[in-house]
Amino acid sequence: MKASPICQMLDIDYPIFQGAMAWVAEATLASAVSNAGGLGIIASGHAPREVVKEQIDRAKSLTDKPFGVNIMLMSPHVEAIVDLVCEEKIKVITTGAGSPGKYMKKFKEAGIIVIPVVASVGLARRMESEGADAVVVEGMEGGGHIGKSTTMALVPQVVDAVSIPVIAAGGIGDGRGMAAALMLGSDAVQLGTRFLVSKESTIHPNFKQAVIKANDLSTAVTGLTTGHPVRGLRNKLTREYEKLERIEAGKAEPNWDLLEDLGKGALKRAVVDGDTKTGSMMSGQIAGLVKSEGDPCEKIVHDLMEDCASVMRQRYERWT
């Protein structure tokens, strides 16, 4: 099954991407998603070259399917990571926190497919003009760093604005969400939160249980006043952050460094240490839909495809 343009481009079976979640999207998870027929992605985050190289080597030992690497363009190691993915002949990269324009020539010469993550129509157009092969359009329903528009509103506007494939992300957790995203005009979907609790996810069990126990109101967005909003599960950290954010926002000269200090190392505390109180449990709004822990990525991917097809078929039969 390679009917989707994005499937043909990447030589994958299903139009499903696994989100590049820092500290979460490592070789074990990425290779499992790729082996299931989707596109697994290793998140380089702020890791140095040798750490990312180790993850790439491990992924290559676990799968012979295409997988990607996400490059955080604000990383202090970005130049080294760019060189690394070119040397390793990675098939596809996604990028975040900036424009990959300055590296586009190098990526193209290495034969790499470039797919930036965007949160606006303007940025999508810019990425297309700079040579991007596709774009991941992420709505504010997603976990982690988010933009201002919802997936439902943003995806069709980007689809109308660009001619390259669009991958919808943010608030997609099951076949119904996937069907909705495809009906909006996207060529594929990207999921993060659903894969957090997969069998192959190596995050701490405490974090997984927090996702399983979540409901529709369990996430909070912090950092709105600083211009760097982040969505995660509500806990002591988000409450303290919101309180401090209100205090600093009310000052003539806010000290945003206090907020940065509060969040320093918080993601690692949640993912690695299992600290569900002061750790940053980045998660999307669909956490309330996730009730099954320990499903293999293969089951998640196949269920998504089957449920998506079923929903589309049922709606068609109902309308005709």
Side-chain angles (χ1 to χ4, degrees):
M1 176 183 174
K2 294 185 175 65
S4 166
I6 205 71
C7 289
Q8 295 175 1
M9 178 188 295
L10 300 175
D11 193 27
I12 58 178
D13 294 324
Y14 308 120
I16 297 171
F17 286 32
Q18 160 247 310
M21 302 164 282
W23 286 99
V24 176
E26 43 70 73
T28 305
L29 179 60
S31 61
V33 174
S34 289
N35 283 333
L39 182 73
I41 300 175
I42 294 171
S44 65
H46 288 80
R49 176 190 169 106
E50 57 270 21
V51 172
V52 181
K53 175 68 163 63
E54 180 181 341
Q55 291 297 317
I56 291 173
D57 289 345
R58 178 160 172 72
K60 287 181 176 180
S61 73
L62 294 171
T63 184
D64 58 359
K65 305 289 187 180
F67 66 88
V69 172
N70 174 267
I71 300 178
M72 187 62 64
L73 296 167
M74 291 180 64
S75 166
H77 308 289
V78 63
E79 301 286 344
I81 304 303
V82 168
D83 289 341
L84 175 64
V85 297
C86 292
E87 293 166 13
E88 292 293 321
K89 303 187 186 308
I90 299 300
K91 187 176 185 68
V92 55
I93 63 158
T94 60
T95 64
S99 168
K102 66 180 290 188
Y103 307 111
M104 196 66 76
K105 185 174 183 293
K106 181 177 289 189
F107 289 143
K108 294 299 183 179
E109 289 175 347
I112 295 175
I113 295 168
V114 182
I115 307 180
V117 178
V118 302
S120 70
V121 171
L123 190 53
R125 283 177 171 151
R126 178 182 170 188
M127 294 301 96
E128 181 178 33
S129 69
E130 291 184 356
D133 297 284
V135 286
V136 173
V137 178
E138 188 168 38
M140 66 178 297
E141 299 96 323
H145 297 276
I146 59 173
K148 296 181 179 180
S149 297
T150 64
T151 303
M152 179 68 74
L154 182 59
V155 168
Q157 293 183 69
V158 173
V159 168
D160 289 347
V162 301
S163 59
I164 54 178
V166 170
I167 299 95
I172 302 169
D174 61 10
R176 292 170 296 179
M178 181 176 180
L182 296 178
M183 289 299 96
L184 292 175
S186 68
D187 296 279
V189 295
Q190 177 172 289
L191 297 85
T193 304
R194 182 65 188 90
F195 286 117
L196 279 176
V197 298
S198 66
K199 176 183 177 181
E200 295 85 359
S201 169
T202 59
I203 70 172
H204 197 283
N206 292 352
F207 191 171
K208 291 187 178 184
Q209 279 301 304
V211 174
I212 295 296
K213 293 177 182 178
N215 60 35
D216 59 316
L217 301 177
S218 290
T219 67
V221 178
T222 55
L224 284 169
T225 54
T226 68
H228 301 287
V230 174
R231 184 182 298 283
L233 295 178
R234 296 180 185 276
N235 61 0
K236 180 180 178 181
L237 173 67
T238 62
R239 291 191 294 272
E240 291 181 352
Y241 199 104
E242 289 171 335
K243 180 180 179 180
L244 184 57
E245 194 172 0
R246 287 193 297 270
I247 292 173
E248 292 304 315
K251 296 180 179 179
E253 296 183 8
N255 184 358
W256 300 127
D257 288 341
L258 293 175
L259 292 171
E260 184 176 346
D261 291 341
L262 183 62
K264 192 170 295 182
L267 182 57
K268 180 177 180 291
R269 289 199 298 272
V271 175
V272 179
D273 303 330
D275 183 348
T276 59
K277 294 182 178 180
T278 68
S280 178
M281 296 182 289
M282 294 185 182
S283 173
Q285 285 184 311
I286 61 93
L289 279 177
V290 181
K291 297 304 177 187
S292 176
E293 181 187 349
D295 288 339
C297 289
E298 182 177 17
K299 182 179 187 322
I300 293 173
V301 169
H302 290 176
D303 284 353
L304 280 165
M305 292 301 298
E306 290 179 6
D307 293 346
C308 176
S310 177
V311 166
M312 289 181 167
R313 184 168 54 252
Q314 289 174 16
R315 292 300 182 270
Y316 175 78
E317 292 172 351
R318 184 178 298 179
W319 295 332
T320 57

